[in-house]
Amino acid sequence: MATLTTTERGRGTWLGRSLELPGGWAGDLAWDEGKLWLAWATCIDEELGLLAVQDRTWTLRPGVTLEDWRDRSAQSQFTISLARLGEDGPLDVRELGRSLHAGDGPSLIALPGQAGPAVVWTDRRGSGSALLASVGGGAEETVAEGLGAILG
């Protein structure tokens, strides 16, 4: 879970109430054309139902095997989203991409004249990585690919 509170930067102040992002993994804020935007990654953990208790020991419930845990873990997905922030939280949430792997980002870049900021993030692809982007909440585009890690 990620939590966001009041932020102030450059051209404005967002005074909305605190915001909780269930499954929040990472995020970024940016002012663009006088509006505050939020990009974030979430992961809904598919493993929790397999645990006897939710603590740091990761003890599996009776009858649950390590193979069950591996199968369920492989189904977890990370989602990259973008929204403009209003007084009560995110407005017009747009899902930009999904991945089975946690990467770097997302990061926001203000682009004057566009429908919203650009969002960039990395993803693992086979034995390499890809740098992905969405401009103004548009379709996901691959900017670069390479062997090994692409670090942000």
Side-chain angles (χ1 to χ4, degrees), residues 60-116:
L60 297 175
R61 285 190 343 233
V64 175
T65 67
L66 188 54
E67 193 61 35
D68 295 334
W69 177 80
R70 285 185 184 121
D71 290 343
R72 180 78 60 91
S73 295
Q75 297 173 27
S76 294
Q77 287 193 3
F78 293 84
T79 303
I80 305 295
S81 300
L82 172 69
R84 187 171 53 83
L85 285 178
E87 279 187 34
D88 295 322
L91 303 171
D92 303 320
V93 175
R94 302 174 207 168
E95 183 180 303
L96 304 179
R98 286 183 178 247
S99 173
L100 295 175
H101 311 286
D104 285 335
S107 294
L108 285 167
I109 304 157
L111 296 174
Q114 295 291 325

Side-chain angles (χ1 to χ4, degrees), residues 1-73:
M1 169 186 63
T3 303
L4 171 69
T5 56
T6 303
T7 186
E8 184 172 348
R9 184 170 175 199
R11 295 177 291 228
T13 302
W14 182 70
L15 296 174
R17 65 176 196 249
S18 292
L19 172 65
E20 184 176 296
L21 301 169
W25 178 262
D28 195 16
L29 294 165
W31 291 98
D32 187 25
E33 306 275 332
K35 299 172 185 167
L36 183 60
W37 292 83
L38 169 66
W40 71 101
T42 55
C43 177
I44 304 305
D45 195 344
E46 301 291 339
E47 303 166 343
L48 294 179
L50 302 178
L51 301 177
V53 291
Q54 294 179 20
D55 61 15
R56 295 179 186 261
T57 64
W58 293 88
T59 304
L60 297 175
R61 285 190 343 233
V64 175
T65 67
L66 188 54
E67 193 61 35
D68 295 334
W69 177 80
R70 285 185 184 121
D71 290 343
R72 180 78 60 91
S73 295

Side-chain angles (χ1 to χ4, degrees), residues 104 122 150-152:
D104 285 335
T122 65
I150 295 177
L151 304 174

